[in-house]
Amino acid sequence: MTDPILVGLIIFVLASFIGFEVIHKVPPTLHTPLMSGSNAISGIAVIGALLLAGGGQTTLTVVLGVIATVLATINVVGGFLVTDRMLQMFKR
Amino acid sequence: MDWLTRTEELSYLGAAALFILGLKKLGSPATARQGNRLAALGMLIAIVVTLLDRQIISYTGILAAIGLGSVIGAIAAYKVEMTAMPQMVGLLNGFGGAASALVSIGEFCRLVAVGEPLSAGTLVTIILGVLIGGVTFTGSLVAFGKLQGLISGTPIIFPMQQAINLGLLVAFWVGGGLVWLDPSQLPIFWGLVAIASSLGVLFVLPIGGADMPVVISLLNSLSGLAASAAGFIVGNSMLIIAGALVGASGLILTQIMCKAMNRSLTNVLFSGFGSATPGNREVTAHATAKSVHTIDPEESAMMLGYAKSVVIVPGYGMAVAQAQHSVKELADQLERLGVDVKYAIHPVAGRMPGHMNVLLAEANVPYPQLKDMEEINPEFEHVDVALVIGANDVVNPAARTNPSSPVYGMPILDVDRARHTIVIKRSLNPGFAGIDNELFYKDKTLMLFGDAKEVLNQLIAEIKHL
């Protein structure tokens, strides 16, 4: 049980099931906000990008990390804000 | 494990819980906005905690990168037109995929630079991360180009397409094997990056405009999986969880979209559907010989104004003409005359899941007036006028009646069962599927030719006089 990849796989499979259960019954009205909101969550790669950019191992890894941080931040900030802008328009 | 690491791990767990809670709340219109904010809070916690990580020794580059990304993201989010939302989501998907791919690449370079031995498991996850992230990035860019009109929206097909794709995929895994044997061979690794990027382009090019809801959903799912792969590589369970959640959500939407077109995912991805085949053109030529009934705005206004019930069926044409506000104004005028107005939304109308709903919400249409296909179809028999605005294949009765039609079996909105159907359309050109629409030639169908927005404004002016 100490193999990190095995542990990761267990987490991955269980999280996928949670995802399916939680999102299963989203009404069509919310399909676009769900997509842009979950899209923003996929910007979580920013965590990996930060560790890479801040680690300072080689110039190459720092440059790759910084570019990844910019792209992931656009994804996160743009995704959450545009979703909020959309949802604010949904009125009864 | 010291207290700092422990705090970090617990914060990640909290952030993951906020993501799950946020996604759950995104499932109902009343709580959706709060859900999105909870997820954003989770993200903020995750980022702040990461910045405190001891691995990080230099902050200048990071803070500048975060600042730049935030400014670009915020400007894009506030400037984008609601009609351009599919492109926006496509592009953001691509950036997420690119970030994950870069993390995979960077981690590989780092491991090689410090001379750490690569286990088979680590290498497989790195290669998967490069593949999924690369395909998501370039695939999303092509989807963006198609939606923005930079690349032709019709499927781009060339000979040996599938063979080339398969060849590239095989080459990718062979290359992966070579990298495993000798990780110091950096050129081979960069070759893998190049192959993954080309695969993304080749995978989206042959897919046509109206199939974009499926492609966007699938790329959404892939961007999640790419983040998960990056999580395996850097050994961070937070990334794995968040990525898996997004992967699942994208896959659910992909399934819904495929079901709404009665086609399998493989059919959407590999059939080049909607490219004009000789057979289809023949049908079109044959059908144009038939006659249609036309109607002018004045008469249409009378029909609509004196109807008891009207169902508006919007399609991609409404988005192109940016006519959502005019649609709402027309509905307001009709309601003033006591007409019962509803909207019928087909799941794949437009270029992304829920596209029509967002546009009509922008125009202040209350969401309870928007009816799903299952809900509205039994009602059409009692509807006086069905008003089709820029929709085509999703209202083609051939899907019910003609087994030789390419759209046969696709669930459609039964507008032909209404007492009358008025179709606002630029011309008789066939829709995306490249086939003629039987609806236009029915006796009960009246064609109102012109640009959606102009025609609607004429209708509004006429109805004001009633």
Side-chain angles (χ1 to χ4, degrees):
Chain A
M1 267 303 284
T2 44
D3 180 0
I5 292 194
L6 189 61
V7 177
L9 211 55
I10 293 170
I11 294 174
F12 176 77
V13 171
L14 295 182
S16 303
F17 275 102
I18 293 177
F20 276 113
E21 285 305 314
V22 166
I23 299 152
H24 188 56
K25 283 197 183 116
V26 174
T29 298
L30 290 171
H31 279 170
T32 298
L34 170 70
M35 185 171 258
S36 60
S38 65
N39 181 248
I41 294 179
S42 76
I44 188 68
V46 70
I47 304 298
L50 288 174
L51 294 175
L52 194 63
Q57 252 82 16
T58 67
T59 318
L60 179 63
T61 57
V62 171
V63 170
L64 288 174
V66 167
I67 299 174
T69 306
V70 175
L71 292 175
T73 314
I74 296 176
N75 187 189
V76 168
V77 174
F80 281 125
L81 285 181
V82 89
T83 309
D84 192 62
R85 201 181 131 204
M86 259 189 277
L87 288 172
Q88 163 207 332
M89 301 183 315
F90 282 84
K91 285 183 210 96
R92 197 164 252 289
Chain B
M1 197 181 268
D2 62 81
W3 67 270
L4 190 63
T5 322
R6 195 166 292 157
T7 313
E8 196 178 331
E9 292 295 328
L10 284 175
S11 308
Y12 282 151
L13 183 61
L18 283 172
F19 287 162
I20 294 172
L21 201 61
L23 282 172
K24 175 133 188 82
K25 284 182 182 274
L26 264 173
S28 152
T31 55
R33 201 169 177 200
Q34 193 196 359
N36 183 53
R37 288 179 170 181
L38 284 178
L41 176 67
M43 185 64 77
L44 185 68
I45 293 175
I47 291 175
V48 170
V49 164
T50 307
L51 287 175
L52 301 175
D53 191 291
R54 225 167 272 162
Q55 273 185 47
I56 294 182
I57 47 174
S58 149
Y59 281 93
T60 23
I62 294 185
L63 294 178
I66 291 182
L68 182 65
S70 303
V71 170
I72 297 176
I75 292 176
Y78 284 110
K79 291 267 174 199
V80 64
E81 294 276 342
M82 284 299 144
T83 41
M85 202 47 80
Q87 292 93 301
M88 171 83 174
V89 172
L91 199 60
L92 289 176
N93 253 334
F95 287 168
S100 301
L102 288 173
V103 170
S104 310
I105 296 168
E107 193 63 14
F108 177 80
C109 295
R110 189 185 72 84
L111 289 172
V112 170
V114 298
E116 246 179 70
L118 285 162
S119 73
T122 309
L123 199 73
V124 168
T125 51
I126 286 178
I127 289 175
L128 270 178
V130 170
L131 180 65
I132 305 174
V135 167
T136 311
F137 175 50
T138 54
S140 297
L141 288 188
V142 175
F144 171 80
K146 285 192 174 220
L147 291 164
Q148 187 73 26
L150 304 172
I151 311 174
S152 159
T154 51
I156 298 169
I157 313 265
F158 49 87
M160 304 272 290
Q161 205 155 9
Q162 305 307 346
I164 292 172
N165 286 350
L166 196 68
L168 280 173
L169 208 58
V170 171
F172 185 87
W173 287 109
V174 171
L178 291 175
V179 172
W180 183 47
L181 291 175
D182 184 4
S184 60
Q185 290 293 326
L186 276 177
I188 299 182
F189 184 74
W190 291 115
L192 294 184
V193 176
I195 293 179
S197 308
S198 348
L199 274 171
V201 175
L202 291 171
F203 141 71
V204 180
L205 272 184
I207 304 176
D211 284 343
M212 277 303 151
V214 179
V215 176
I216 296 274
S217 310
L218 192 64
L219 288 168
N220 185 226
S221 180
L222 285 179
S223 75
L225 295 182
S228 259
F232 275 97
I233 297 161
V234 298
N236 186 321
S237 33
M238 166 84 204
L239 261 71
I240 300 179
I241 296 173
L245 293 174
V246 180
S249 124
L251 210 56
I252 291 175
L253 286 174
T254 311
Q255 272 177 341
I256 296 174
M257 295 302 116
C258 283
K259 218 174 125 199
M261 297 197 290
N262 190 39
R263 287 162 59 204
S264 68
L265 184 57
T266 21
N267 179 280
V268 174
L269 297 183
F270 302 116
S271 73
F273 192 78
S275 57
T277 57
N280 287 347
R281 260 190 236 122
E282 231 168 78
V283 175
T284 314
H286 170 72
T288 37
K290 292 187 284 185
S291 67
V292 298
H293 304 275
T294 55
I295 189 170
D296 59 26
E298 197 184 337
E299 253 182 287
S300 310
M302 303 267 277
M303 277 182 71
L304 291 166
Y306 293 122
K308 268 208 193 72
S309 56
V310 170
V311 170
I312 297 175
V313 183
Y316 184 54
M318 181 188 81
V320 173
Q322 306 243 7
Q324 65 270 30
H325 297 282
S326 305
V327 169
K328 163 71 171 156
E329 202 185 338
L330 175 70
D332 285 345
Q333 288 299 329
L334 290 174
E335 280 173 340
R336 182 181 59 87
L337 296 171
V339 183
D340 176 44
V341 182
K342 283 178 190 147
Y343 301 81
I345 315 283
H346 193 279
V348 293
R351 289 294 184 259
M352 73 182 293
H355 193 185
M356 294 299 124
N357 305 71
V358 171
L359 293 181
L360 292 171
E362 187 198 11
N364 287 322
V365 175
Y367 63 79
Q369 277 188 15
L370 309 181
K371 303 292 177 193
D372 305 346
M373 186 163 54
E374 289 82 14
E375 205 181 342
I376 197 81
N377 266 349
E379 290 185 31
F380 271 115
E381 278 177 48
H382 314 291
V383 167
D384 290 325
V385 185
L387 179 63
V388 179
I389 306 171
N392 193 345
D393 294 331
V394 298
V395 292
N396 190 345
R400 275 198 323 257
T401 55
N402 181 359
S404 65
S405 168
V407 292
Y408 183 70
M410 167 171 159
I412 58 157
L413 290 164
D414 297 328
V415 292
D416 56 320
R417 296 200 167 139
R419 293 202 182 92
H420 294 281
T421 309
I422 299 177
V423 179
I424 301 180
K425 208 172 175 309
R426 280 172 176 279
S427 68
L428 273 181
N429 284 342
F432 164 72
I435 49 162
D436 210 38
N437 195 333
E438 285 177 17
L439 175 71
F440 305 158
Y441 307 99
K442 296 219 167 197
D443 283 337
K444 291 193 298 182
T445 306
L446 302 160
M447 303 298 294
L448 180 50
F449 289 115
D451 172 77
K453 199 172 184 175
E454 280 168 31
V455 170
L456 284 167
N457 289 340
Q458 287 167 358
L459 280 177
I460 293 163
E462 294 287 347
I463 288 174
K464 276 184 180 162
H465 295 305
L466 290 181

